[in-house]
Each structure stands twice: as C-alpha cells, then as structure tokens.
Amino acid sequence: MKRRDFLKAGVLGGVALMAGTSEAQSGQDLPPEFELDEKTIGDLQDAMRSGQESSASITEKYLGRIESVDHPLVNSVIELNPDAESIAVAMDEERRAGKTRGPLHGIPVLIKDNIDTADKMRTTAGSMALAESIALKDSFVAAQLRKAGAVILGKTNLSEWANYRSTHSTSGWSGRGGQTHNPYALDRNPCGSSSGSGAAASANFCAVAVGTETDGSIVCPSNNNCLVGIKPTVGLIGRTGIIPISHSQDTSGPMARSVRDAAILLTALAGRDKQDAAATGKYGIDYTHFLDRHGLKGARIGVARKFFGFSDAVDKVMADAIHAMKKLGAVIVDPADLPTYGKFDDSEGLVLSYEFKADLEKYLSHLRPGQPKTLKELIDFNHNHKDVEMPFFGQELFFQSEARGPLTEAKYKKALAKNHRLARTEGIDAVMDKHHLDALIAPTGGPGWTTDLINGDHFTGGSSSPAAVAGYPDITVPAGFVSGMPVGISFFGRAWSEGLLIKLAYAFEQETKVRKKPRFLPTADFGDQRSKAYKSS
C-alpha cells in the first residue's frame, strides 16, 4: 500500500476491519522477520553513531513495516505523519553538525490520537466527529518530544473517546480507525484505551509509544501486549492539548519494550506545564539514574492480595514473580491489602461523569471554527451518523455526563474528596505506612480476551484503580504468559515515587527477562499451556 493510500485509509476509518476481522486472521501470509525487531533506543543510537543507520533510514524502515504489516494485520496506526521523513532528515543534519539533543534524538515515536500536534495530522480521539480537526498548537507532550529530537511517526488508534462513551464498549475500536488487534493473537483484544500505542510498540512499528490513562488505559494495553507501561503521578507530564476525560485522573505516559526505554521516554516527557494546575511535582529528573539491577535487595514489597484470585493461571505467574523478587533480596509482606479496597468504585464513576463534560467542553472550545463545541453536539453527531459511529455499542456515558451539572455542585465535590481520602490517605498511603513498604504489587490484569463486538469487553481482573483514583504512579512489567498471551505485574506506590518504582521494576525485569516479541498468530496458542515465563531455580 502506498503511503498516501495508507493515510487516506486512516482518515476514512478502517472499514474492512470494523467488524474485527481481516484477511490475516486466516493465519496466512504472516510477516517475515524485521531487522529492527526488538531494537532498543540504545541500539538505534549506537547504529546512528556508527553510521550504520541514520534517523532517516530508521524512520523509513518503520514506515515500511507499518505499511506492509500493520494495516492487514494489527490496525494500530490511525494516521502516518507526512512530515516524519523530513523531521528525521533534520535530526540527521543536526547530528552531523555535532548537535544531539539527548537519547531520543532521531528516534521514531508513535503517539495516541488524542494528543494534539500542530502539523498536518488530525487529533480525533478516534471519532468521525473530529475527523478534520487539526490542532492550532502542539500539546505539551508533542512539544516535549520535539524538544528531545524525537521523530513523531504518526498517531495510533484507540478506544474511541479513550473508552469513555459506552458502558459495554469494545476496547481498541473507534469509528475513525476500526478495530485494533492484539499482535500475539489477532482475535484477542489489545485492551484500551491506548490500544493502538500498545499494539504498535509491541509489534515493533516504532521504538516507543505514548499512551494516556484515566484508569487502566496505559497499564492494561501494556499488560495485554507484553510491554512496560508507566502511568505517572498526575501532573508529572503536562496535560495541555490532550483530549480529556478527567483532570483529577488523566495523564499520558510511556509504553515501551523495556524499563530502560520507558525511563528514557518518561525523562523526556516530564516537565512543568504552566497551564496544568496539577503540575506540582519535582522536574528535571533523569529517570535512567534509577536503573539498578540490585534495586530489589532489601526493598519491602507488599502483596495487594485482594487483586488476586480471578485466574489460577495468573496467580501462578504472580507466584513465580514473587519468588523472583525474594531471590533478589526483597522482603515480601503478604498480604498487604488496601483497607479501602472496592469502596470508591461508585464515587470514581461519579467524578468521571462530572469532569468529562466540563473538561471536554473546555478542550473543544479551543478548536478551530466549524468543530463541535459541546458534548450535546457530539451526542447529536453520533445519533445522526450511527451507522459509522454506533454500529456495535452506544453512548450511555455521554448521556450520563451530559445530564451532570457544573463542578461547583456539592455532589461532585463530596465524591472527589471521598476518592482522594479513600484512595490516598486511607488507601495506598495507609497500607504503605502500616507495613513500611516501598511499593505494592498486584497482577496488572489477565491475558487478552477474545474481541467481541457484540457483547463488548470481557475483563477478568485488574489492579489499576487505586493508583488511578489517587493520581499516584503505577508501573507494569511483563511477568509471564498464559496460553501464549502476556500477563504483567504492577508496582504502585506513593505520589512522585516514579524513580523508586523504576528501580524495583528494572531489577525484576533484568532477573526474569519475560518479554518475547509477538508472532501475529490467528488465535491464542492453546497448545502452550505454560503459565511460567520465569523459571525459578
């Protein structure tokens, strides 16, 4: 497929993939080996320094891989950047002139299609209602990437409106982009809402990717796609120019094939956003300084046991992970459960319902003339274009949010205060104080479920909510496989503890080395029932 045709396909929305099928799911014509498979940022920098590669050649190879593999198989990239090659050439010219901006200089990155870029690409949240919306200025995230010398390769598909439209949606589906598939088994779900970023980074369509999370949308697709995902403290990375759900929980974050690459990307993304009221943390930190193979020695790790038990196979993976940490000298406190477990589910939903309308309409107010300006306009658009926008599920969450009043209402303020008290003071902080913990651990989720556009998602379990509601950091790392499908372990803890969590996650990763590249199988490998990737000794 020619690049211009690929761009057109992204704009018009993957119609052939909308029903969750593709010719590749027959198992035929699986892709050949790719010379950049599993290459790290360090590998690519070494190749550019030696002259073996240039940013332009690396960019061209990733673009070629996307064109030949993504559209027929995975459908993770919603639009390519027509300026990517010229940006790469400019970065090569800087390198030849003796200037490099850091470890991301010349490195191709994919970003989620709810992150503004002031270029030729659209920012749509996967909705045809914004199909022609081109941002007036870069988001904070895009500006940070450009400052670091990264090549923004394109934008990734997502669960439409970051999975905040329906109570029974299918993750990875959008009206504009169609259905994204899991590269480990194409009939399995990549999870949402950063489904495209997760699938693309795992499938080696870029060096690293950027996702966004309100609750689970970085860590879940990282879990399902065998990635390291970092959901940072709210405010560590500026949110200006990102299509929002909730100012109390939203954040962007790195999705990468290694902890080191995730730390490099987090270092570049973090910074004070003067337009973001949550920007109150410590900035200017190089998170690669926390990469310590011995980082688990003496660390006190609490097992949030109430998040276990939804799958015997996942529990076996977690048991091996805990054994690995003990071997590395960690002190395991088991159980170390949050005393407020399950007590803020309803208040979280209420807060999101209030904040979505207020925050989204604030974002829409800054768009070019002719674009929707209210949630009601989006509801009407979906109704008038339901054959494209609502062939599988509706917009119940839109209706609920539209009915909410302003953020000055006592009902909203009470729910937000309850969230913070139960998730922070009486939740994560309380259990960590009680047991003198460095971090809590839990299964990030179960293996990817079969994509079901009739009934919606089939989540089995997960642990993202406490850190999400608290606005605290959460890092997931590959921990094992179940029937060939990845399963991750989450390390989460106090506000602004990214460095410590990276230290723990890196030590675990280096001991276990679970990550395996995807094989683009038509379905899960039921012949391989091994639930262990780390072999204890």
Side-chain angles (χ1 to χ4, degrees):
M1 177 180 284
K2 301 291 186 183
R3 190 162 305 134
R4 60 180 179 272
D5 295 329
F6 184 91
L7 279 163
K8 184 179 179 182
V11 171
L12 295 179
V15 176
L17 295 165
M18 225 192 303
T21 61
S22 78
E23 69 246 37
Q25 291 191 343
S26 67
Q28 302 299 314
D29 301 323
L30 296 182
E33 294 292 314
F34 177 44
E35 61 186 299
L36 298 184
D37 269 349
E38 303 299 288
K39 295 296 185 184
T40 65
I41 290 172
D43 293 335
L44 297 176
Q45 289 293 355
D46 287 344
M48 287 189 283
R49 276 191 292 267
S50 69
Q52 178 185 350
E53 296 280 5
S54 64
S55 178
S57 68
I58 292 169
T59 297
E60 184 63 28
K61 287 174 182 178
Y62 279 128
L63 289 171
R65 187 67 167 180
I66 291 168
E67 290 181 5
S68 64
V69 176
D70 183 54
H71 189 61
L73 285 176
V74 184
N75 199 41
S76 64
V77 180
I78 204 167
E79 185 170 1
L80 292 172
N81 184 0
D83 298 325
E85 289 166 306
S86 62
I87 295 170
V89 169
M91 292 303 101
D92 288 333
E93 289 174 353
E94 285 191 10
R95 187 183 295 273
R96 284 193 293 271
K99 176 185 176 182
T100 54
R101 306 185 188 194
L104 279 183
H105 188 102
I107 299 294
V109 178
L110 284 166
I111 66 175
K112 189 174 177 181
D113 182 36
N114 60 349
I115 301 174
D116 282 349
T117 53
D119 51 23
K120 300 180 183 72
M121 290 190 291
R122 295 149 182 81
T123 306
T124 72
S127 171
M128 293 303 291
L130 297 180
E132 297 303 325
S133 180
I134 298 177
L136 290 165
K137 59 185 294 187
D138 272 341
S139 60
F140 182 87
V141 165
Q144 290 290 94
L145 289 172
R146 295 191 204 280
K147 184 169 68 173
V151 178
I152 299 178
L153 201 61
K155 295 193 177 182
T156 55
N157 196 25
L158 69 163
S159 306
E160 187 174 306
W161 296 110
N163 228 359
Y164 199 81
R165 200 191 81 188
S166 173
T167 55
H168 55 280
S169 61
T170 298
S171 290
W173 185 90
S174 73
R176 182 186 176 207
Q179 179 66 49
T180 295
H181 307 292
N182 190 308
Y184 287 86
L186 299 171
D187 65 344
R188 297 279 160 160
N189 199 271
C191 197
S193 66
S194 305
S195 45
S197 294
S202 188
N204 289 277
F205 298 150
C206 57
V208 288
V210 180
T212 68
E213 174 164 331
T214 304
D215 186 341
S217 289
I218 288 174
V219 296
C220 184
S222 295
N223 173 85
N224 284 27
N225 293 281
C226 206
L227 294 175
V228 175
I230 302 181
K231 197 287 290 186
T233 305
V234 170
L236 183 64
I237 301 171
R239 283 95 53 86
T240 301
I242 297 178
I243 300 175
I245 293 176
S246 159
H247 64 264
S248 64
Q249 294 184 202
D250 287 352
T251 181
S252 63
M255 302 175 74
R257 294 182 293 272
S258 71
V259 174
R260 180 178 293 278
D261 282 359
I264 290 170
L265 183 52
L266 181 64
T267 300
L269 293 175
R272 188 176 299 280
D273 180 354
K274 294 179 181 178
Q275 299 181 61
D276 189 342
T280 58
K282 297 179 180 179
Y283 301 98
I285 297 171
D286 183 347
Y287 288 99
T288 64
H289 291 165
F290 295 94
L291 300 172
D292 180 0
R293 291 182 63 95
H294 306 291
L296 277 161
K297 186 175 183 180
R300 293 182 61 82
I301 307 296
V303 180
R305 187 57 68 173
K306 287 185 179 179
F307 291 106
F308 290 62
F310 61 84
S311 164
D312 290 344
V314 171
D315 284 350
K316 288 179 67 177
V317 172
M318 293 302 112
D320 281 348
I322 292 169
H323 177 85
M325 285 185 265
K326 287 180 178 178
K327 179 181 175 181
L328 293 173
V331 178
I332 303 297
V333 179
D334 187 4
D337 284 312
L338 277 70
T340 56
Y341 172 85
K343 294 181 179 180
F344 45 83
D345 294 349
D346 290 343
S347 56
E348 179 189 14
L350 184 62
V351 166
L352 298 187
S353 185
Y354 268 96
E355 291 186 353
F356 178 68
K357 179 181 178 181
D359 294 351
L360 179 62
E361 291 188 349
K362 181 180 178 181
Y363 171 86
L364 295 173
S365 71
H366 296 293
L367 296 185
R368 296 173 187 270
Q371 297 302 318
K373 300 298 181 184
T374 67
L375 179 55
K376 179 63 165 59
E377 288 182 68
L378 296 174
I379 290 171
D380 291 344
F381 179 92
N382 291 339
H383 176 75
N384 294 331
H385 300 83
K386 55 189 176 183
D387 56 331
V388 174
E389 280 294 335
M390 298 194 295
F392 306 115
F393 51 87
Q395 52 181 340
E396 302 86 12
L397 294 177
F398 273 22
F399 286 129
Q400 291 174 19
S401 186
E402 172 60 21
R404 299 296 180 194
L407 300 186
T408 54
E409 288 192 354
K411 186 177 183 180
Y412 162 74
K413 291 182 176 181
K414 183 179 179 180
L416 182 61
K418 178 183 177 181
N419 278 354
H420 289 167
R421 175 172 55 83
L422 295 181
R424 295 174 180 175
T425 313
E426 298 177 15
I428 293 173
D429 293 336
V431 69
M432 293 187 73
D433 286 343
K434 178 181 179 180
H435 297 293
H436 309 288
L437 300 176
D438 293 295
L440 291 154
I441 59 167
T444 308
W449 57 92
T450 306
T451 296
D452 184 349
L453 286 162
I454 298 174
N455 299 301
D457 287 332
H458 304 292
F459 289 103
T460 52
S463 59
S464 64
S465 288
V469 175
Y472 287 4
D474 185 356
I475 300 178
T476 182
V477 183
F481 290 85
V482 175
S483 297
M485 301 306 297
V487 171
I489 184 170
S490 282
F491 295 79
F492 58 102
R494 303 179 192 274
W496 315 110
S497 64
E498 283 82 2
L500 174 57
L501 297 181
I502 286 169
K503 179 181 178 181
L504 303 174
Y506 181 74
F508 175 79
E509 174 198 55
Q510 293 302 298
E511 169 66 20
T512 58
K513 295 188 181 296
V514 167
R515 163 78 189 176
K516 298 176 184 177
K517 69 179 183 180
R519 293 184 287 163
F520 307 97
L521 299 177
T523 191
D525 186 0
F526 293 108
D528 180 5
Q529 293 296 332
R530 294 171 298 168
S531 62
K532 300 179 184 179
Y534 168 76
K535 300 297 182 182
S536 58
S537 58

